[in-house]
């Protein structure tokens, strides 16, 4: 699976390979900006190895629900400037994701905590819900309307952001999964490809 997530403040590129039905090792590259005082942005970049095990799947008569754990660890770098020195060190991140879906309804959420040397902290809580405009077969494109609410907290010294709400259009076709949306910070784009 190849995944690309892009927003005005964050870029993530991930790839993993399922070696079984319930887990997949991979790698991830990430770049994000932390808002600081007086409009200054602190830039961080990371590269790490990841492991994604599915903790549990519930198969219901007309629905499915999954619980996932995503862990990654590696090296993170902070760009210098604005009175701060450049630096680098190790990091570790852990995320829990849960989703419930039918062929017409979706609800999901995730909690992610990233910690690193030098007091690095980057926490994200997300909740998504939405609906499909119609049911589609595997060969057809299925459009969805999704709304996401996200709360992000950064390291000490960075300013705390409030909740960001993003309406988006999701398109699913066979092995492709595309999301396009916009919020007060700008546009967002997510791509997932299952090979």
């Amino acid at each position: 699976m190849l995944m690309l997530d892009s927003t005005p403040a964050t870029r993530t590129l991930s790839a993993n390979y399922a070696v079984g039905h319930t887990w997949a090792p991979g790698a991830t590259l990430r770049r994000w900006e932390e808002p600081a005082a007086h409009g200054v942005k602190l830039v961080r970049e990371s590269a790490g190895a990841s492991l994604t095990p599915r903790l549990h799947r519930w198969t219901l008569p007309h629905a499915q629900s999954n619980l996932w754990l995503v862990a990654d660890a590696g090296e993170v770098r902070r760009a210098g400037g604005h009175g701060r020195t450049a630096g680098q060190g190790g990091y570790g991140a852990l995320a829990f994701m849960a989703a419930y879906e039918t062929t017409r309804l979706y609800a999901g959420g995730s909690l992610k905590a990233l910690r690193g040397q030098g007091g690095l902290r980057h926490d994200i809580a997300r909740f998504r819900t939405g609906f499909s405009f119609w049911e589609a077969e595997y060969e057809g494109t299925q459009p969805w309307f999704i709304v996401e609410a996200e709360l992000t907290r950064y390291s000490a010294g960075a300013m705390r952001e409030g909740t960001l709400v993003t309406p988006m259009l999701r398109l699913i076709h066979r092995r492709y999964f595309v999301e396009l949306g916009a919020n007060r910070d700008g546009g967002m784009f997510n791509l997932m490809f299952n090979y």
Side-chain angles (χ1 to χ4, degrees):
M1 180 185 305
L2 177 67
M3 293 171 284
L4 170 67
D5 299 317
S6 179
T7 70
T10 305
R11 309 275 189 285
T12 305
L13 177 64
S14 302
N16 63 38
Y17 183 78
V19 294
H21 292 291
T22 59
W23 66 284
T28 186
L29 300 172
R30 187 181 297 114
R31 180 185 191 276
W32 72 95
E33 298 175 346
E34 296 181 3
H38 310 296
V40 173
K41 304 255 186 211
L42 306 177
V43 178
R44 298 191 191 265
E45 297 172 335
S46 67
S50 66
L51 183 62
T52 306
R54 186 181 71 213
L55 300 177
H56 195 71
R57 170 173 283 167
W58 294 269
T59 303
L60 307 169
H62 300 288
Q64 177 177 286
S65 187
N66 290 294
L67 180 62
W68 297 89
L69 172 70
V70 180
D72 68 280
E75 191 78 11
V76 65
R77 183 179 72 84
R78 183 184 72 219
H82 307 291
R84 295 182 182 249
T85 59
Q88 67 181 48
Y91 83 91
L94 195 61
F96 288 95
M97 300 184 305
Y100 169 85
E101 59 188 304
T102 71
T103 56
R104 297 296 304 277
L105 299 173
Y106 172 84
S110 65
L111 296 171
K112 179 178 180 178
L114 185 147
R115 298 290 184 270
Q117 294 175 331
L120 171 61
R121 175 182 174 156
H122 188 198
D123 300 331
I124 302 172
R126 287 189 179 108
F127 176 74
R128 288 179 160 200
T129 188
F131 62 89
S132 172
F133 292 99
W134 61 77
E135 289 185 274
E137 298 297 325
Y138 180 73
E139 297 296 329
T141 300
Q142 187 172 16
W144 292 72
F145 177 74
I146 304 289
V147 176
E148 176 185 86
E150 176 186 291
L151 175 64
T152 304
R153 290 186 180 171
Y154 295 104
S155 305
M159 296 185 67
R160 177 182 167 183
E161 282 190 351
T163 302
L164 190 61
V165 176
T166 307
M168 64 187 78
L169 177 65
R170 174 187 289 176
L171 301 170
I172 301 173
H173 180 73
R174 299 179 72 182
R175 294 183 287 174
Y176 291 93
F177 176 103
V178 177
E179 292 177 333
L180 301 165
N183 54 46
R184 69 172 186 256
D185 290 347
M188 57 83 67
F189 172 75
N190 295 329
L191 170 68
M192 182 171 63
F193 172 69
N194 292 303
Y195 47 86

